[in-house]
Amino acid sequence: MGETQRYAIPYKGLKPGCHEFRFEVDGSLFEEYQSTEIKDGRCDVTVGADRSESRIVLDVAITGYVIVECDRCLEDCRIPIDFEGQLVVKFSEEVHEYDGEVMWMLPGEDQVDLKQYIYESIVLSLPYQRVHPDGACNPEMLERFRIVSDQEFASIEARAGGGTEHNEGEWAKLAALREQMEAEEEEPEKPRGTK
């Protein structure tokens, strides 16, 4: 069964009134969209569909988790997903663009494909900063990325500054070479054939 079929509600034969549908999301949805953010995940999707003659109102709830890279330690991090939204499906002979809140369908279509809506809802419900709970990050990685305090930086700078005497000969040579190059740039070019 393709991803579209997995997340589709059959419209033909759906009687007016309220209906409930359930879907399970796994890593294959994120693979299909070639998501660079979401590595894997497991979510349950519940859709309450209220069908009338001219439209269907879908109340969508998504709960579960996704696996992303932690912004702090770069290790895999499990982020909970808890989303609630509403999508209105309307029918029209004219082609309209899907805007995230209203999906337009031609009267002859027989199913509502929720794949894109579910994927976008999960991505948009991710927090801005994706990190492990305090204390759960990989300590080795945190040590590698540790920010140095002002005192530590001053200490490092002092230690580095103490070892410049033995390199002064190399620095002096570089400074002399630089002066020579600058002097050559300032000299006007002599015409060819003159001495």
Side-chain angles (χ1 to χ4, degrees):
M1 179 186 321
E3 293 301 301
T4 298
Q5 296 296 325
R6 283 183 67 182
Y7 307 111
I9 294 175
Y11 173 71
K12 291 244 169 139
L14 194 64
K15 295 179 179 174
C18 295
H19 307 272
E20 187 171 284
F21 299 89
R22 293 184 180 276
F23 306 101
E24 288 184 11
V25 173
D26 58 25
S28 62
L29 178 67
F30 309 116
E31 285 174 20
E32 182 167 329
Y33 279 97
Q34 299 176 351
S35 175
T36 56
E37 298 178 274
I38 302 174
K39 297 178 178 185
D40 198 3
R42 299 280 179 271
C43 295
D44 292 318
V45 181
T46 304
V47 180
D50 186 4
R51 182 185 186 270
S52 65
E53 289 301 318
S54 61
R55 67 184 191 162
I56 305 173
V57 177
L58 303 173
D59 291 309
V60 181
I62 304 172
T63 57
Y65 69 90
V66 294
I67 304 294
V68 297
E69 190 175 84
C70 176
D71 290 339
R72 224 185 271 140
C73 71
L74 305 180
E75 296 283 317
D76 285 353
C77 177
R78 186 173 169 152
I79 300 292
I81 299 295
D82 189 11
F83 170 83
E84 289 186 11
Q86 189 174 75
L87 178 66
V88 178
V89 180
K90 295 183 178 181
F91 299 91
S92 172
E93 293 289 346
E94 297 177 26
V95 177
H96 298 276
E97 286 198 27
Y98 163 68
D99 67 1
E101 294 177 4
V102 178
M103 180 186 290
W104 293 89
M105 292 180 54
L106 298 170
E109 294 185 67
D110 60 353
Q111 65 182 11
V112 180
D113 178 14
L114 295 176
K115 178 179 66 171
Q116 182 176 349
Y117 181 79
I118 291 170
Y119 174 76
E120 289 176 356
S121 300
I122 291 171
V123 171
L124 292 173
S125 65
L126 289 173
Y128 178 70
Q129 189 175 29
R130 297 142 196 188
V131 294
H132 288 104
D134 285 342
C137 282
N138 180 339
E140 185 179 311
M141 292 299 285
L142 285 181
E143 186 61 31
R144 287 182 183 180
F145 297 124
R146 190 170 64 88
I147 297 172
V148 179
S149 71
D150 289 341
Q151 289 175 332
E152 291 171 313
F153 187 75
S155 170
I156 292 168
E157 207 171 41
R159 284 194 306 252
T164 55
E165 291 91 21
H166 65 80
N167 282 334
E168 207 143 315
E170 286 85 8
W171 285 112
K173 289 177 190 174
L174 284 173
L177 181 60
R178 180 178 178 195
E179 286 175 20
Q180 181 185 350
M181 290 174 67
E182 287 174 353
E184 287 175 0
E185 285 178 5
E186 291 175 7
E187 265 183 37
E189 282 191 38
K190 295 180 183 178
R192 290 186 183 190
T194 58
K195 292 189 177 188

